[in-house]
Amino acid sequence: MAQPRVLAVLGQPIEHSLSPLMHNTAIQALGLAYVYVAFEVAPADLAEAVAGLRALGVRGYNLTIPHKERVLPYLQELTEEARLIGAVNTVRLDGQRLIGHNTDGVGLLAALRRDGGIDPAGKRCVVLGAGGAARAVVVQLALAGAAEILIANRTPERAAALASHVAANVGGVALAALPLDGERLRQPLARADLVINATSVGMGDDAASPLPADVLSDRHFVCDLIYRPPQTRLLRQARQRGARVLNGLGMLLYQGAAAFQWWTGEPFPVEQVRRALLEHLAAGDEEARS
């Protein structure tokens, strides 16, 4: 019997990662000769880890905090998405060449279209945050044909830098930046279609929201990239105001699906993996309450 090929995720910390559950569920469902493992790798050890995985012929791996930008010097090629975003969450070994890709943006786009029933093409969008997740979101919205993207961040200079970067690389979209301030955003939000929270505000804190409730209405589709808790205060407020809402579980699922297909060439069993994730998260919530 052939030894299984290895796929992996590198990060620090790594014990919280849902990637092994996702990918091993997919591997078992399809009967593939792969195994997916998690490696805790400190930033100082990343170069050696990348070299070791290449020497061992590891087909592909994911990168999570704090390695998505740090890995760039060790790769031989980047896909267009990774180049535009300036970060890599997926690496594939082709011969002796390591190719870096970023599936976060395509994961979000798939979640919006398939689970949310909304296409960003032609939409006015507001993105909260300007960090790594926001970079992937803004780039993908621009590539998908959004009409306008306003980036709101606590440090407006960082939002402005992101807007300038995307404007210089993707045509046909109007980009602007503002401070992440509910009152300053009131007028832009009044004409927005799609609102995406790419900050950590609300993660593990049911009382925190990046926006006051009264700036949202039934004209909005609100997506929060957080999936723990499954309904943040922002999403509860938005739903109460009549908005359609979506949490970040779909983005997690579809970015993993894109990576898996890029590595293996096999279609990802999305619904089986979704069920496994929901069961795991529900069990964790129940354990936390007991």
Side-chain angles (χ1 to χ4, degrees):
M1 183 176 178
Q3 290 294 314
R5 299 190 71 178
V6 175
L7 302 170
V9 59
L10 315 183
Q12 189 184 53
I14 200 62
E15 65 272 5
H16 69 287
S17 175
L18 295 177
S19 292
L21 170 65
M22 290 173 54
H23 290 289
N24 286 317
T25 298
I27 288 164
Q28 292 166 16
L30 298 174
L32 302 180
Y34 283 87
V35 63
Y36 188 103
V37 294
F39 293 122
E40 176 132 355
V41 176
D45 298 326
L46 182 60
E48 289 185 55
V50 169
L53 291 174
R54 180 163 62 178
L56 292 169
V58 170
R59 171 62 172 167
Y61 49 91
N62 291 125
L63 295 140
T64 187
I65 293 171
H67 300 317
K68 289 186 178 185
E69 296 176 9
R70 296 173 191 269
V71 77
L72 295 177
Y74 312 123
L75 307 177
Q76 285 73 56
E77 186 179 335
L78 297 178
T79 64
E80 182 67 4
E81 291 91 344
R83 184 188 69 80
L84 287 173
I85 294 166
V88 163
N89 76 333
T90 305
V91 172
R92 184 176 74 187
L93 178 64
D94 279 4
Q96 288 300 303
R97 293 180 61 76
L98 292 173
I99 304 173
H101 188 28
N102 196 306
T103 65
D104 285 333
V106 295
L108 171 68
L109 191 61
L112 290 173
R113 288 173 172 167
R114 299 178 194 177
D115 298 345
I118 183 171
D119 191 325
K123 299 293 191 297
R124 299 184 183 98
C125 308
V126 174
V127 177
L128 310 180
R135 290 182 69 87
V137 168
V138 173
V139 166
Q140 200 63 49
L141 291 176
L143 292 173
E148 298 176 9
I149 306 172
L150 173 66
I151 307 165
N153 193 53
R154 285 180 300 179
T155 308
E157 294 79 10
R158 192 171 185 187
L162 176 54
S164 296
H165 167 74
V166 177
N169 286 277
V170 184
V173 56
L175 287 123
L178 274 179
L180 181 44
D181 177 295
E183 291 307 311
R184 295 281 298 275
L185 289 174
R186 190 173 294 277
Q187 186 173 346
L189 281 167
R191 60 195 300 269
D193 306 299
L194 176 60
V195 181
I196 298 177
N197 178 35
T199 77
S200 60
V201 177
M203 185 181 294
D205 184 354
D206 287 343
S209 175
L211 292 174
D214 65 352
V215 300
L216 301 170
S217 73
D218 59 5
R219 71 164 287 120
H220 294 123
F221 188 105
V222 180
C223 176
D224 197 327
L225 302 192
I226 294 168
Y227 55 86
R228 279 177 169 160
Q231 186 168 237
T232 59
R233 184 178 184 187
L234 173 66
L235 295 186
R236 289 199 309 273
Q237 290 173 337
R239 193 190 296 274
Q240 289 164 2
R241 302 280 295 183
R244 290 182 292 157
V245 302
L246 185 71
N247 71 12
L249 189 67
M251 179 178 174
L252 172 71
L253 178 66
Y254 292 116
Q255 65 79 26
F260 186 88
Q261 188 155 9
W262 196 53
W263 293 323
T264 69
E266 299 289 339
F268 194 74
V270 169
E271 294 311 317
Q272 285 176 264
V273 177
R274 191 195 303 273
R275 286 194 296 272
L277 284 173
L278 290 171
E279 288 170 6
H280 176 82
L281 291 170
D285 290 343
E286 184 63 33
E287 183 177 333
R289 287 192 294 268
S290 64

